[in-house]
mmCIF file of all heavy atoms in Angstrom:
data_model
loop_
_atom_site.group_PDB
_atom_site.id
_atom_site.type_symbol
_atom_site.label_atom_id
_atom_site.label_comp_id
_atom_site.label_asym_id
_atom_site.label_seq_id
_atom_site.Cartn_x
_atom_site.Cartn_y
_atom_site.Cartn_z
ATOM 1 N N ALA A 350 42.815 -6.357 20.288
ATOM 2 C CA ALA A 350 41.756 -7.345 20.494
ATOM 3 C C ALA A 350 41.390 -7.443 21.961
ATOM 4 O O ALA A 350 40.204 -7.494 22.338
ATOM 5 C CB ALA A 350 42.200 -8.708 19.957
ATOM 6 N N GLU A 351 42.406 -7.451 22.822
ATOM 7 C CA GLU A 351 42.164 -7.529 24.267
ATOM 8 C C GLU A 351 41.451 -6.275 24.771
ATOM 9 O O GLU A 351 40.505 -6.356 25.569
ATOM 10 C CB GLU A 351 43.500 -7.705 24.998
ATOM 11 C CG GLU A 351 43.356 -7.878 26.501
ATOM 12 C CD GLU A 351 44.701 -8.076 27.189
ATOM 13 O OE1 GLU A 351 45.717 -8.206 26.474
ATOM 14 O OE2 GLU A 351 44.720 -8.086 28.444
ATOM 15 N N TYR A 352 41.892 -5.112 24.270
ATOM 16 C CA TYR A 352 41.259 -3.857 24.700
ATOM 17 C C TYR A 352 39.793 -3.802 24.258
ATOM 18 O O TYR A 352 38.901 -3.434 25.046
ATOM 19 C CB TYR A 352 42.010 -2.656 24.136
ATOM 20 C CG TYR A 352 41.371 -1.345 24.524
ATOM 21 C CD1 TYR A 352 41.707 -0.720 25.722
ATOM 22 C CD2 TYR A 352 40.401 -0.747 23.710
ATOM 23 C CE1 TYR A 352 41.091 0.468 26.098
ATOM 24 C CE2 TYR A 352 39.777 0.434 24.084
ATOM 25 C CZ TYR A 352 40.132 1.046 25.279
ATOM 26 O OH TYR A 352 39.511 2.207 25.666
ATOM 27 N N ALA A 353 39.533 -4.170 22.996
ATOM 28 C CA ALA A 353 38.172 -4.123 22.469
ATOM 29 C C ALA A 353 37.251 -5.051 23.229
ATOM 30 O O ALA A 353 36.108 -4.699 23.547
ATOM 31 C CB ALA A 353 38.175 -4.477 20.984
ATOM 32 N N GLU A 354 37.756 -6.227 23.554
ATOM 33 C CA GLU A 354 36.951 -7.207 24.290
ATOM 34 C C GLU A 354 36.544 -6.672 25.648
ATOM 35 O O GLU A 354 35.407 -6.886 26.114
ATOM 36 C CB GLU A 354 37.743 -8.505 24.435
ATOM 37 C CG GLU A 354 37.044 -9.596 25.236
ATOM 38 C CD GLU A 354 35.839 -10.162 24.509
ATOM 39 O OE1 GLU A 354 35.796 -10.077 23.260
ATOM 40 O OE2 GLU A 354 34.942 -10.701 25.191
ATOM 41 N N ALA A 355 37.421 -5.933 26.280
ATOM 42 C CA ALA A 355 37.168 -5.467 27.640
ATOM 43 C C ALA A 355 36.428 -4.122 27.688
ATOM 44 O O ALA A 355 35.739 -3.835 28.676
ATOM 45 C CB ALA A 355 38.490 -5.352 28.401
ATOM 46 N N ASN A 356 36.550 -3.300 26.638
ATOM 47 C CA ASN A 356 36.089 -1.922 26.759
ATOM 48 C C ASN A 356 35.086 -1.434 25.713
ATOM 49 O O ASN A 356 34.312 -0.519 26.004
ATOM 50 C CB ASN A 356 37.297 -0.975 26.718
ATOM 51 C CG ASN A 356 38.266 -1.209 27.864
ATOM 52 O OD1 ASN A 356 38.037 -0.780 28.986
ATOM 53 N ND2 ASN A 356 39.362 -1.918 27.575
ATOM 54 N N ILE A 357 35.101 -1.995 24.518
ATOM 55 C CA ILE A 357 34.235 -1.454 23.464
ATOM 56 C C ILE A 357 32.858 -2.107 23.536
ATOM 57 O O ILE A 357 32.700 -3.284 23.213
ATOM 58 C CB ILE A 357 34.846 -1.654 22.064
ATOM 59 C CG1 ILE A 357 36.232 -1.016 21.984
ATOM 60 C CG2 ILE A 357 33.918 -1.077 20.998
ATOM 61 C CD1 ILE A 357 36.238 0.474 22.293
ATOM 62 N N ASP A 358 31.884 -1.331 23.970
ATOM 63 C CA ASP A 358 30.520 -1.845 24.086
ATOM 64 C C ASP A 358 29.527 -0.996 23.292
ATOM 65 O O ASP A 358 28.338 -0.975 23.594
ATOM 66 C CB ASP A 358 30.094 -1.923 25.550
ATOM 67 C CG ASP A 358 30.197 -0.575 26.258
ATOM 68 O OD1 ASP A 358 30.594 0.403 25.607
ATOM 69 O OD2 ASP A 358 29.869 -0.505 27.456
ATOM 70 N N ILE A 359 30.034 -0.266 22.285
ATOM 71 C CA ILE A 359 29.154 0.500 21.413
ATOM 72 C C ILE A 359 29.243 -0.056 19.997
ATOM 73 O O ILE A 359 30.284 -0.583 19.593
ATOM 74 C CB ILE A 359 29.529 2.008 21.393
ATOM 75 C CG1 ILE A 359 30.947 2.213 20.863
ATOM 76 C CG2 ILE A 359 29.364 2.616 22.773
ATOM 77 C CD1 ILE A 359 31.320 3.670 20.639
ATOM 78 N N PRO A 360 28.161 0.010 19.208
ATOM 79 C CA PRO A 360 28.214 -0.460 17.822
ATOM 80 C C PRO A 360 29.190 0.376 17.003
ATOM 81 O O PRO A 360 29.235 1.605 17.123
ATOM 82 C CB PRO A 360 26.780 -0.275 17.323
ATOM 83 C CG PRO A 360 25.935 -0.217 18.553
ATOM 84 C CD PRO A 360 26.797 0.422 19.593
ATOM 85 N N VAL A 361 29.979 -0.292 16.151
ATOM 86 C CA VAL A 361 30.937 0.370 15.275
ATOM 87 C C VAL A 361 30.697 -0.134 13.857
ATOM 88 O O VAL A 361 30.698 -1.342 13.612
ATOM 89 C CB VAL A 361 32.387 0.073 15.696
ATOM 90 C CG1 VAL A 361 33.376 0.744 14.736
ATOM 91 C CG2 VAL A 361 32.632 0.513 17.132
ATOM 92 N N ILE A 362 30.477 0.790 12.935
ATOM 93 C CA ILE A 362 30.221 0.400 11.548
ATOM 94 C C ILE A 362 31.084 1.223 10.608
ATOM 95 O O ILE A 362 31.575 2.287 10.970
ATOM 96 C CB ILE A 362 28.742 0.580 11.167
ATOM 97 C CG1 ILE A 362 28.378 2.071 11.171
ATOM 98 C CG2 ILE A 362 27.830 -0.206 12.082
ATOM 99 C CD1 ILE A 362 27.054 2.355 10.485
ATOM 100 N N MET A 363 31.289 0.710 9.407
ATOM 101 C CA MET A 363 31.962 1.463 8.351
ATOM 102 C C MET A 363 30.964 1.724 7.228
ATOM 103 O O MET A 363 30.163 0.853 6.876
ATOM 104 C CB MET A 363 33.165 0.712 7.795
ATOM 105 C CG MET A 363 33.768 1.379 6.545
ATOM 106 S SD MET A 363 35.179 0.512 5.843
ATOM 107 C CE MET A 363 36.483 1.126 6.918
ATOM 108 N N VAL A 364 31.034 2.950 6.639
ATOM 109 C CA VAL A 364 30.268 3.272 5.439
ATOM 110 C C VAL A 364 31.242 3.795 4.388
ATOM 111 O O VAL A 364 32.374 4.179 4.696
ATOM 112 C CB VAL A 364 29.170 4.317 5.708
ATOM 113 C CG1 VAL A 364 28.180 3.803 6.746
ATOM 114 C CG2 VAL A 364 29.755 5.648 6.144
ATOM 115 N N SER A 365 30.809 3.821 3.143
ATOM 116 C CA SER A 365 31.664 4.301 2.062
ATOM 117 C C SER A 365 31.734 5.820 2.060
ATOM 118 O O SER A 365 30.938 6.505 2.717
ATOM 119 C CB SER A 365 31.124 3.819 0.720
ATOM 120 O OG SER A 365 29.887 4.445 0.424
ATOM 121 N N LEU A 366 32.695 6.351 1.303
ATOM 122 C CA LEU A 366 32.822 7.800 1.170
ATOM 123 C C LEU A 366 31.557 8.395 0.566
ATOM 124 O O LEU A 366 31.089 9.461 0.997
ATOM 125 C CB LEU A 366 34.038 8.128 0.298
ATOM 126 C CG LEU A 366 34.322 9.616 0.051
ATOM 127 C CD1 LEU A 366 34.562 10.352 1.362
ATOM 128 C CD2 LEU A 366 35.523 9.780 -0.882
ATOM 129 N N GLN A 367 31.000 7.709 -0.407
ATOM 130 C CA GLN A 367 29.763 8.191 -1.021
ATOM 131 C C GLN A 367 28.629 8.244 -0.008
ATOM 132 O O GLN A 367 27.859 9.202 0.032
ATOM 133 C CB GLN A 367 29.391 7.300 -2.209
ATOM 134 C CG GLN A 367 30.397 7.353 -3.348
ATOM 135 C CD GLN A 367 30.087 6.350 -4.440
ATOM 136 O OE1 GLN A 367 28.996 5.805 -4.508
ATOM 137 N NE2 GLN A 367 31.078 6.087 -5.303
ATOM 138 N N ALA A 368 28.522 7.205 0.812
ATOM 139 C CA ALA A 368 27.481 7.185 1.832
ATOM 140 C C ALA A 368 27.708 8.287 2.857
ATOM 141 O O ALA A 368 26.754 8.922 3.334
ATOM 142 C CB ALA A 368 27.447 5.822 2.522
ATOM 143 N N GLY A 369 28.975 8.531 3.209
ATOM 144 C CA GLY A 369 29.282 9.615 4.137
ATOM 145 C C GLY A 369 28.851 10.961 3.591
ATOM 146 O O GLY A 369 28.313 11.812 4.328
ATOM 147 N N ASN A 370 29.071 11.164 2.287
ATOM 148 C CA ASN A 370 28.627 12.411 1.670
ATOM 149 C C ASN A 370 27.107 12.539 1.680
ATOM 150 O O ASN A 370 26.562 13.634 1.854
ATOM 151 C CB ASN A 370 29.132 12.499 0.227
ATOM 152 C CG ASN A 370 30.632 12.706 0.150
ATOM 153 O OD1 ASN A 370 31.225 13.269 1.065
ATOM 154 N ND2 ASN A 370 31.248 12.247 -0.928
ATOM 155 N N VAL A 371 26.420 11.413 1.516
ATOM 156 C CA VAL A 371 24.952 11.442 1.500
ATOM 157 C C VAL A 371 24.402 11.868 2.854
ATOM 158 O O VAL A 371 23.538 12.752 2.940
ATOM 159 C CB VAL A 371 24.382 10.063 1.107
ATOM 160 C CG1 VAL A 371 22.876 10.006 1.361
ATOM 161 C CG2 VAL A 371 24.670 9.762 -0.347
ATOM 162 N N ILE A 372 24.895 11.276 3.930
ATOM 163 C CA ILE A 372 24.326 11.588 5.236
ATOM 164 C C ILE A 372 24.724 12.981 5.720
ATOM 165 O O ILE A 372 23.943 13.667 6.382
ATOM 166 C CB ILE A 372 24.711 10.511 6.285
ATOM 167 C CG1 ILE A 372 23.860 10.690 7.551
ATOM 168 C CG2 ILE A 372 26.197 10.554 6.624
ATOM 169 C CD1 ILE A 372 23.995 9.551 8.534
ATOM 170 N N THR A 373 25.925 13.445 5.376
ATOM 171 C CA THR A 373 26.347 14.773 5.844
ATOM 172 C C THR A 373 25.667 15.898 5.078
ATOM 173 O O THR A 373 25.683 17.049 5.525
ATOM 174 C CB THR A 373 27.873 14.943 5.730
ATOM 175 O OG1 THR A 373 28.293 14.649 4.391
ATOM 176 C CG2 THR A 373 28.584 14.023 6.710
ATOM 177 N N THR A 374 25.057 15.584 3.935
ATOM 178 C CA THR A 374 24.330 16.605 3.166
ATOM 179 C C THR A 374 22.835 16.300 3.098
ATOM 180 O O THR A 374 22.117 16.858 2.273
ATOM 181 C CB THR A 374 24.883 16.698 1.731
ATOM 182 O OG1 THR A 374 24.758 15.411 1.091
ATOM 183 C CG2 THR A 374 26.352 17.114 1.730
ATOM 184 N N ALA A 375 22.369 15.409 3.970
ATOM 185 C CA ALA A 375 20.984 14.934 3.903
ATOM 186 C C ALA A 375 19.958 16.058 3.971
ATOM 187 O O ALA A 375 18.936 16.025 3.282
ATOM 188 C CB ALA A 375 20.719 13.923 5.024
ATOM 189 N N MET A 376 20.208 17.070 4.792
ATOM 190 C CA MET A 376 19.252 18.150 4.986
ATOM 191 C C MET A 376 19.670 19.436 4.278
ATOM 192 O O MET A 376 19.057 20.494 4.479
ATOM 193 C CB MET A 376 19.070 18.423 6.489
ATOM 194 C CG MET A 376 18.777 17.189 7.328
ATOM 195 S SD MET A 376 17.353 16.242 6.727
ATOM 196 C CE MET A 376 16.034 17.409 7.049
ATOM 197 N N ALA A 377 20.693 19.355 3.445
ATOM 198 C CA ALA A 377 21.188 20.550 2.757
ATOM 199 C C ALA A 377 20.243 20.964 1.631
ATOM 200 O O ALA A 377 19.574 20.135 1.019
ATOM 201 C CB ALA A 377 22.587 20.297 2.206
ATOM 202 N N THR A 378 20.200 22.256 1.371
ATOM 203 C CA THR A 378 19.456 22.810 0.250
ATOM 204 C C THR A 378 20.450 23.542 -0.654
ATOM 205 O O THR A 378 21.650 23.611 -0.355
ATOM 206 C CB THR A 378 18.378 23.788 0.732
ATOM 207 O OG1 THR A 378 19.008 24.927 1.340
ATOM 208 C CG2 THR A 378 17.453 23.121 1.751
ATOM 209 N N ASP A 379 19.938 24.100 -1.728
ATOM 210 C CA ASP A 379 20.809 24.847 -2.641
ATOM 211 C C ASP A 379 21.420 26.063 -1.968
ATOM 212 O O ASP A 379 22.469 26.565 -2.397
ATOM 213 C CB ASP A 379 20.008 25.295 -3.877
ATOM 214 C CG ASP A 379 19.587 24.120 -4.744
ATOM 215 O OD1 ASP A 379 20.219 23.057 -4.617
ATOM 216 O OD2 ASP A 379 18.627 24.270 -5.519
ATOM 217 N N ASP A 380 20.789 26.534 -0.906
ATOM 218 C CA ASP A 380 21.268 27.736 -0.218
ATOM 219 C C ASP A 380 22.177 27.434 0.975
ATOM 220 O O ASP A 380 22.675 28.358 1.618
ATOM 221 C CB ASP A 380 20.076 28.577 0.267
ATOM 222 C CG ASP A 380 19.190 29.037 -0.885
ATOM 223 O OD1 ASP A 380 19.745 29.306 -1.963
ATOM 224 O OD2 ASP A 380 17.956 29.102 -0.707
ATOM 225 N N THR A 381 22.366 26.147 1.265
ATOM 226 C CA THR A 381 23.178 25.790 2.429
ATOM 227 C C THR A 381 24.659 26.035 2.130
ATOM 228 O O THR A 381 25.200 25.507 1.155
ATOM 229 C CB THR A 381 22.979 24.314 2.818
ATOM 230 O OG1 THR A 381 21.585 24.071 3.038
ATOM 231 C CG2 THR A 381 23.751 23.981 4.080
ATOM 232 N N ALA A 382 25.308 26.814 2.972
ATOM 233 C CA ALA A 382 26.720 27.144 2.782
ATOM 234 C C ALA A 382 27.596 25.936 3.102
ATOM 235 O O ALA A 382 27.286 25.160 4.016
ATOM 236 C CB ALA A 382 27.111 28.318 3.673
ATOM 237 N N PRO A 383 28.719 25.737 2.375
ATOM 238 C CA PRO A 383 29.619 24.599 2.617
ATOM 239 C C PRO A 383 30.126 24.533 4.052
ATOM 240 O O PRO A 383 30.285 23.438 4.604
ATOM 241 C CB PRO A 383 30.767 24.846 1.630
ATOM 242 C CG PRO A 383 30.163 25.666 0.545
ATOM 243 C CD PRO A 383 29.149 26.536 1.208
ATOM 244 N N GLU A 384 30.396 25.707 4.660
ATOM 245 C CA GLU A 384 30.911 25.683 6.038
ATOM 246 C C GLU A 384 29.887 25.126 7.022
ATOM 247 O O GLU A 384 30.258 24.524 8.033
ATOM 248 C CB GLU A 384 31.359 27.081 6.469
ATOM 249 C CG GLU A 384 30.315 28.177 6.321
ATOM 250 C CD GLU A 384 30.399 28.886 4.986
ATOM 251 O OE1 GLU A 384 30.940 28.292 4.028
ATOM 252 O OE2 GLU A 384 29.925 30.037 4.911
ATOM 253 N N ILE A 385 28.606 25.299 6.711
ATOM 254 C CA ILE A 385 27.558 24.730 7.574
ATOM 255 C C ILE A 385 27.553 23.210 7.441
ATOM 256 O O ILE A 385 27.442 22.478 8.433
ATOM 257 C CB ILE A 385 26.186 25.317 7.208
ATOM 258 C CG1 ILE A 385 26.149 26.805 7.573
ATOM 259 C CG2 ILE A 385 25.063 24.566 7.933
ATOM 260 C CD1 ILE A 385 24.853 27.502 7.202
ATOM 261 N N VAL A 386 27.702 22.721 6.193
ATOM 262 C CA VAL A 386 27.769 21.271 5.971
ATOM 263 C C VAL A 386 28.981 20.687 6.676
ATOM 264 O O VAL A 386 28.893 19.635 7.334
ATOM 265 C CB VAL A 386 27.823 20.962 4.457
ATOM 266 C CG1 VAL A 386 28.063 19.469 4.230
ATOM 267 C CG2 VAL A 386 26.547 21.406 3.764
ATOM 268 N N ASN A 387 30.120 21.363 6.594
ATOM 269 C CA ASN A 387 31.358 20.868 7.201
ATOM 270 C C ASN A 387 31.289 20.816 8.718
ATOM 271 O O ASN A 387 32.053 20.096 9.364
ATOM 272 C CB ASN A 387 32.534 21.747 6.769
ATOM 273 C CG ASN A 387 32.828 21.625 5.283
ATOM 274 O OD1 ASN A 387 32.467 20.628 4.655
ATOM 275 N ND2 ASN A 387 33.457 22.643 4.710
ATOM 276 N N LYS A 388 30.370 21.581 9.286
ATOM 277 C CA LYS A 388 30.207 21.567 10.745
ATOM 278 C C LYS A 388 29.066 20.648 11.190
ATOM 279 O O LYS A 388 28.712 20.628 12.364
ATOM 280 C CB LYS A 388 29.949 22.990 11.249
ATOM 281 C CG LYS A 388 31.146 23.917 11.089
ATOM 282 C CD LYS A 388 30.819 25.317 11.612
ATOM 283 C CE LYS A 388 32.016 26.254 11.457
ATOM 284 N NZ LYS A 388 31.701 27.636 11.945
ATOM 285 N N GLY A 389 28.504 19.894 10.247
ATOM 286 C CA GLY A 389 27.431 18.958 10.592
ATOM 287 C C GLY A 389 26.061 19.580 10.599
ATOM 288 O O GLY A 389 25.097 18.950 11.072
ATOM 289 N N GLY A 390 25.924 20.777 10.025
ATOM 290 C CA GLY A 390 24.641 21.461 10.047
ATOM 291 C C GLY A 390 23.611 20.908 9.086
ATOM 292 O O GLY A 390 22.445 21.321 9.147
ATOM 293 N N ALA A 391 24.004 19.983 8.202
ATOM 294 C CA ALA A 391 23.053 19.403 7.252
ATOM 295 C C ALA A 391 22.786 17.927 7.546
ATOM 296 O O ALA A 391 22.216 17.214 6.716
ATOM 297 C CB ALA A 391 23.569 19.558 5.822
ATOM 298 N N LEU A 392 23.196 17.463 8.727
ATOM 299 C CA LEU A 392 22.920 16.083 9.121
ATOM 300 C C LEU A 392 21.449 15.920 9.500
ATOM 301 O O LEU A 392 20.794 16.884 9.903
ATOM 302 C CB LEU A 392 23.785 15.690 10.325
ATOM 303 C CG LEU A 392 25.267 15.461 10.074
ATOM 304 C CD1 LEU A 392 26.024 15.437 11.398
ATOM 305 C CD2 LEU A 392 25.493 14.154 9.316
#
Side-chain angles (χ1 to χ4, degrees):
E351 183 179 353
Y352 178 87
E354 178 69 24
N356 298 281
I357 303 302
D358 57 0
I359 61 172
V361 178
I362 67 166
M363 171 181 278
V364 300
S365 68
L366 180 60
Q367 295 174 15
N370 290 333
V371 169
I372 192 170
T373 54
T374 59
M376 310 306 293
T378 65
D379 292 340
D380 299 325
T381 304
E384 54 268 23
I385 292 178
V386 173
N387 293 338
K388 293 180 180 179
L392 287 165

